Amino acid sequence: MTPRRLLLLLAFLPLACAPAGPDLRRAETPIASSTAFDPARFVDVWHVVAAYGQEARCGKLTETWTATASGRWQVTGTRCGPAGARAFLAEARLIGPGRIERRIGRTREELWVLWVDADYRIAAIGSPSGAFGRVLARRPEPRADLMAGARAALRFNGYDPAALHPL
C-alpha cells in the first residue's frame, strides 16, 4: 500500500468506526424511567422547550396529550421533520413505569419519562437508544429552577446538558 493510500485510509477510519444514527447520550451510563410517573397527570398541552440534535432546529414545538383510555393517549402537535416543523397525530400507550410507546404512522418511538417535577410542570424525556432527548414544559418559558432540575435528570441519565438547545 502506498503512503498516500495509507494516509487516506487512516483519515477516514474514524468515520467508518463512528456509530450510525444519533448518539445523544453515553451508552455506558445507565438510564432509568420515573417509577412514580402518573399517566393521568401527563394529559394536556406540553411545549418542547429544549431539545438535542436535529429536533432543536425547528424552534418551538407543542404536543397535546389527550387520554383515550387508562394508560393510552392520542397525541397531536408539531414535530421536527426533514423539511421543518410538521403537524402530527399519534397514538401512545404506557408500556412500563414512565415508559411510553408512541406510534406515528408506521414509526414507533419509545419515550422514557426520566424525571417530572412534583406538580407536572416540566418533564425530561429521553430514549434508551439515545436517539433523542428533550424537555417538555406546561409553559413556553419554564422557571429556571425547573429547567435546572430537568438538565440534572438528563445529565444523570447520560446526556450532556451543554448540548441541550433551549427553544
Side-chain angles (χ1 to χ4, degrees), residues 45-49 60 121 136-143:
V45 176
W46 289 95
H47 301 271
V48 181
V49 295
K60 303 268 185 196
R121 295 168 290 184
L136 302 177
R138 297 294 186 177
R139 296 180 182 210
E141 303 293 330
R143 288 183 2 205

Side-chain angles (χ1 to χ4, degrees), residues 100-162:
I100 300 166
E101 178 187 75
R102 185 160 77 173
R103 289 183 304 138
I104 301 172
R106 294 182 187 190
T107 304
R108 292 175 189 229
E109 58 186 357
E110 202 169 316
L111 310 172
W112 281 27
V113 179
L114 306 175
W115 175 80
V116 63
D117 78 298
D119 293 322
Y120 280 68
R121 295 168 290 184
I122 196 163
I125 309 293
S127 67
S129 68
F132 69 88
R134 63 180 76 125
V135 177
L136 302 177
R138 297 294 186 177
R139 296 180 182 210
E141 303 293 330
R143 288 183 2 205
D145 61 327
L146 296 174
M147 199 60 204
R151 286 179 180 278
L154 288 163
R155 179 177 40 256
F156 181 81
N157 284 282
Y159 289 87
D160 177 7

